Amino acid sequence: MARRRTKATAVAGVLVAMAGVLMACDSFGSSSDAEAEEAAHRCAPLSSDASDLAARVRPMGPAVSATWCIRALGTPGTSRVSVPGPHDWVFYGVVRLADPATADAWGPWQPNGAPELLEMPAALRSLVPAPAQWSSNGAGAYLDRASATLLLDGVSA
């Protein structure tokens, strides 16, 4: 009888150890996936490659400098079944244009007060020039012609 208890205890111990290993493996893989997904929803990391942004967001035109990121839309933690499409990503950035006239291709600009930029990451908001006369195109872009600064606030490419 004691021998049966010893075997049962040993088997139970092995099962508990195996369950612990399986849980650790599962959380290890999903942890890095979850971190990558969370970064995409936070709009991280920031990039300073102006030519890459100009190639992705048309018709931006040539840029002297840019600090930007791409944010994934949706809710983090939801298991996506499909590959994200082109409208599942939006751009946030502070761009210094080589020529502010190139922004005219974005359509009519209407005078606007200071943009709220509530969705823009704090690291980008700190780069926005304070004294400015902003115009908006109604699609998430703001332009200050005097400083040739273009703000992308959730622009879909």
Side-chain angles (χ1 to χ4, degrees), residues 71-157:
R71 178 177 281 163
L73 297 178
T75 306
T78 59
S79 299
R80 280 193 76 100
V81 177
S82 63
V83 175
H87 297 291
D88 292 335
W89 306 97
V90 291
F91 291 82
Y92 292 86
V94 178
V95 182
R96 176 70 45 85
L97 297 172
D99 179 8
T102 59
D104 290 339
W106 287 55
W109 293 92
Q110 301 298 320
N112 190 40
E116 290 187 28
L117 307 174
L118 299 175
E119 296 294 317
M120 184 177 276
L124 291 173
R125 282 193 306 250
S126 68
L127 301 174
V128 175
Q133 293 185 354
W134 297 106
S135 296
S136 171
N137 72 347
Y142 298 88
L143 176 66
D144 175 43
R145 290 187 186 277
S147 66
T149 301
L150 178 69
L151 302 180
L152 306 176
D153 189 33
V155 171
S156 176

Side-chain angles (χ1 to χ4, degrees), residues 13-104:
V14 168
L15 290 175
V16 168
M18 286 176 57
V21 168
L22 289 173
M23 286 174 30
C25 288
D26 182 48
S27 68
F28 176 75
S30 64
S31 174
S32 63
D33 292 343
E35 288 172 3
E37 182 181 1
E38 181 61 30
H41 287 277
R42 277 187 328 220
C43 203
L46 295 178
S47 175
S48 59
D49 187 342
S51 61
D52 186 25
L53 180 63
R56 292 172 183 244
V57 178
R58 298 195 186 265
M60 191 177 78
V64 174
S65 66
T67 304
W68 58 280
C69 63
I70 302 173
R71 178 177 281 163
L73 297 178
T75 306
T78 59
S79 299
R80 280 193 76 100
V81 177
S82 63
V83 175
H87 297 291
D88 292 335
W89 306 97
V90 291
F91 291 82
Y92 292 86
V94 178
V95 182
R96 176 70 45 85
L97 297 172
D99 179 8
T102 59
D104 290 339

Side-chain angles (χ1 to χ4, degrees), residues 5-20:
R5 270 191 234 153
T6 305
K7 280 186 176 180
T9 303
V11 168
V14 168
L15 290 175
V16 168
M18 286 176 57

